[in-house]
Amino acid sequence: DPPMGPTQNTVRLAFPSAFEMIDLVQLVTDRVGRLMSFDDDTRHWVGVAVRESVINAIKHGNRHDPQKVVVVEFDLGPANPPEELTVSVCDQGEGFDPDALPDPLAPENLLKSSGRGIFFMRSFMDGVVLSKCPGGGMQVRMVKRVVRPA
């Protein structure tokens, strides 16, 4: 069989930088998690990771500017049934150097909330890559693999 192109397995949301949109993203994340056959726990934590990344994109990336858009893409891997979910979240902000983020576990940062979101994402997901988006802004790409019972 020829491999399926990315468009056939991709759900794409693009919306203005408003916290009111987070509930919609949560609903879609949960639905996609069900399509991936993630268990309740996994769906919950993937939801937390996606939510954190969208909050970061709205707040830090786009600085609540409703003229700026957040784009969330859910890519349900090429295999059938899919073996991994890739979620990418792009903002239209100025971008930042991911290596310059404070370590949330360092004693002086334990009570600060900044940097915590990306730490959560790295804890809950199997892979997290931060990079610049092609059109400027930051992209967070998160991968969650499906664990099939042996």
Side-chain angles (χ1 to χ4, degrees):
D1 288 344
M4 291 173 76
T7 49
Q8 286 165 299
N9 293 342
T10 303
V11 176
R12 185 174 190 272
L13 301 175
F15 50 88
S17 305
F19 282 154
E20 291 82 355
M21 303 307 287
I22 292 172
D23 288 346
L24 173 67
V25 177
Q26 289 281 148
L27 284 169
V28 176
T29 305
D30 190 67
R31 191 76 198 106
V32 167
R34 290 173 193 277
L35 290 172
M36 294 294 299
S37 307
F38 289 149
D39 61 31
D40 292 350
D41 254 16
T42 304
R43 277 203 323 277
H44 171 76
W45 292 116
V46 168
V48 170
V50 172
R51 183 185 180 89
E52 286 289 331
S53 64
V54 170
I55 289 172
N56 279 354
I58 292 172
K59 187 167 143 188
H60 302 299
N62 293 348
R63 302 192 188 283
H64 301 281
D65 180 347
Q67 302 299 310
K68 291 186 173 174
V69 174
V70 176
V71 177
V72 183
E73 279 191 3
F74 300 88
D75 189 9
L76 291 70
N80 192 9
E83 285 158 15
E84 63 180 34
L85 171 67
T86 303
V87 184
S88 78
V89 179
C90 254
D91 64 48
Q92 296 181 309
E94 284 145 40
F96 64 91
D97 175 4
D99 296 332
L101 282 176
D103 173 4
L105 296 182
E108 67 273 18
N109 296 328
L110 281 176
L111 297 177
K112 289 184 188 160
S113 59
S114 62
R116 184 92 25 104
I118 289 170
F119 174 72
F120 278 150
M121 294 171 220
R122 289 194 165 127
S123 311
F124 305 146
M125 304 298 267
D126 296 317
V128 175
V129 177
L130 298 160
S131 59
K132 296 264 198 218
C133 295
M138 287 304 287
Q139 180 185 52
V140 180
R141 273 176 72 84
M142 300 173 281
V143 175
K144 189 68 183 175
R145 288 187 281 279
V146 176
V147 181
R148 304 236 178 260

